[in-house]
Amino acid sequence: MRKHNFFPGPATLPIEVIQEAAAGLVDYNGMGVSIVEISHRSPIFTDLLDEANALVKKLYGLSDDWAVLWLPGGASSQLTVAPMNLTEPNDKIAFVDTGFWAGRAIEAAANEANAFFLASSKDSNYDRIPKITDVQGARYLHVVSNETIDGTQYHEFPEVDVPLVADMTSDFLSRPLPMEKFGVIFASAQKNFGIAGITCVLVNKAVLPEKNSRKVPKIFDYHTHIAENSLYHTIPTYPVYVALLMLRYIDKQGGLAEMQRLSEQKSALIYNEIDRNPLLKGIVATEDRSVMNACFTSQSPEMDQKINLFLEQNDIVGIKGFPTKGGFRASIYNGQPLASVAHLVDLLQNLSL
């Protein structure tokens, strides 16, 4: 029997995607070879890659002004690669300090340009998203659309006069977006649309400087990967294949509007119970709660341990909060079945401590 998986990433996938991915790992389409044994430059794989690119563009409604790139190194690599491509060394990059991943981002960007925080919610333990309107001469504004660890999410993106560069690792492909606000979006696959090993990067080609005094290594240059259709190097083929299966799944379910509806339905079930149950309490301001990662605690660390043990005994896995936050974190990405969320809520309603 499958457990009810609330791990924050790598995260749960729809069973039909797992089954098709498993079949392709053994024998792809009856060819007598595994999908991982097929050359990344073969017509079979390039057709899969082209389909993945087309589906991302379809789901987000992207024009040919946008490039879809599939790159290794995780989203963390893009924290350096994005400023390397978009700025000169003396340029300013604005950040909003929303939690753990915003801190990682500014640390990486500080090696490439003049990176600074416009605002921070650190003093309130990152329980909300600071509101900003001015970027103080920055080349672009970096945002973490969903803080996986802290449980906050942008539901409305800032209105500023520069492009947004967004780390969307934990809410990519989960909702429609005002794409006109963004210059670059990047996301690792292992939460909403696949398995670890590949990062999808969306680049609005208009934001790439025509000339850059910085000598960007070829392997890190967006122009390289745009020109080579992500095949400048040996692309991680199996993670791309699983991402394609998830893209097909999302499209078949009804696209991003349906993913958003389901995310809001699943998160509402959990948050309603958190707000109703006197043993539980949310740790994020209501208006900034993430629909991807519902973070909450009980009345004490000792009670947290008892609840976690009770949930584990009833087939819930991966719900323990990040060590620096404690409590619980229920991750409810695109692959999370509504039935698993309902099972979790039923257990929370009938805690036996």
Side-chain angles (χ1 to χ4, degrees):
M1 183 185 74
R2 282 177 61 80
K3 301 283 188 177
H4 300 276
N5 179 0
F6 289 88
F7 277 113
T12 191
L13 290 170
I15 188 63
E16 65 191 76
V17 170
I18 294 174
Q19 289 171 339
E20 189 170 0
L25 188 60
V26 176
D27 183 355
Y28 178 67
N29 280 0
M31 292 179 56
V33 295
S34 168
I35 186 67
V36 302
E37 298 173 309
I38 295 171
S39 168
H40 66 298
R41 297 189 183 277
S42 69
I44 295 169
F45 183 78
T46 56
D47 284 349
L48 295 176
L49 182 62
D50 289 343
E51 183 186 354
N53 292 343
L55 277 171
V56 172
K57 286 191 169 186
K58 174 187 176 182
L59 291 165
Y60 277 122
L62 300 180
S63 70
D64 288 340
D65 295 333
W66 286 83
V68 180
L69 306 178
W70 300 91
L71 304 177
S76 292
S77 67
Q78 296 303 311
L79 302 180
T80 296
V81 172
M84 190 183 291
N85 276 269
L86 300 180
T87 66
E88 300 278 354
N90 293 326
D91 284 342
K92 296 166 68 176
I93 309 173
F95 290 75
V96 184
D97 184 17
T98 50
F100 183 90
W101 289 108
R104 282 282 183 91
I106 197 170
E107 180 183 0
N111 294 317
E112 308 302 326
N114 180 6
F116 66 98
F117 279 133
L118 289 169
S120 175
S121 55
K122 183 177 182 179
D123 289 347
S124 58
N125 200 24
Y126 298 116
D127 68 340
R128 64 193 66 243
I129 293 177
K131 305 301 184 281
I132 59 97
T133 56
D134 178 62
V135 295
Q136 302 177 22
R139 182 70 174 267
Y140 66 80
L141 172 63
H142 179 104
V143 295
V144 181
S145 59
N146 185 85
E147 283 280 2
T148 319
I149 288 172
D150 298 282
T152 58
Q153 185 180 31
Y154 278 94
H155 299 296
E156 298 288 339
F157 288 95
E159 294 287 346
V160 293
D161 58 1
V162 296
L164 302 181
V165 171
D167 178 352
M168 287 194 179
T169 290
S170 52
D171 61 353
F172 190 61
L173 293 168
S174 69
R175 55 178 169 168
L177 293 172
M179 295 303 298
E180 69 278 2
K181 291 187 175 185
F182 297 92
V184 172
I185 292 171
F186 55 85
S188 297
Q190 68 270 14
K191 299 180 186 293
N192 265 313
F193 66 109
I195 60 174
I198 198 68
T199 300
C200 189
V201 184
L202 309 185
V203 181
N204 184 335
K205 289 176 279 189
V207 305
L208 295 178
E210 291 186 12
K211 294 183 179 180
N212 195 332
S213 65
R214 187 196 308 276
K215 187 171 177 58
V216 180
K218 195 169 184 178
I219 189 63
F220 300 132
D221 192 332
Y222 285 151
H223 292 96
T224 300
H225 301 292
I226 292 170
E228 298 287 340
N229 191 29
S230 302
L231 295 173
Y232 175 72
H233 56 98
T234 303
I235 194 170
T237 54
Y238 191 63
V240 171
Y241 175 62
V242 180
L244 172 59
L245 298 181
M246 269 302 295
L247 287 164
R248 290 173 178 169
Y249 171 86
I250 292 168
D251 188 42
K252 184 175 69 173
Q253 297 303 308
L256 302 189
E258 180 63 9
M259 292 299 101
Q260 182 177 30
R261 187 191 70 80
L262 289 170
S263 295
E264 291 172 352
Q265 181 183 11
K266 290 181 285 189
S267 63
L269 283 175
I270 296 177
Y271 286 126
N272 287 343
E273 178 58 22
I274 292 169
D275 293 338
R276 182 206 67 82
N277 194 322
L279 297 178
L280 307 176
K281 55 184 177 180
I283 62 174
V284 172
T286 302
E287 65 273 16
D288 293 327
R289 284 172 165 174
S290 168
V291 301
M292 298 281 102
N293 309 97
C295 295
F296 59 100
T297 65
S298 69
Q299 301 302 312
S300 68
E302 293 75 22
M303 185 178 288
D304 285 353
Q305 292 180 1
K306 292 180 180 179
I307 293 174
N308 192 60
L309 178 61
F310 172 70
L311 295 176
E312 287 181 350
Q313 290 171 340
N314 287 277
D315 299 322
I316 298 287
V317 297
I319 199 169
K320 191 174 182 180
F322 195 75
T324 59
K325 303 295 287 190
F328 306 92
R329 172 175 47 173
S331 295
I332 40 180
Y333 304 123
N334 286 343
Q336 184 65 268
L338 180 61
S340 288
V341 177
H343 178 66
L344 169 62
V345 170
D346 182 66
L347 292 174
L348 294 174
Q349 290 173 343
N350 295 280
L351 289 173
S352 177
L353 303 179

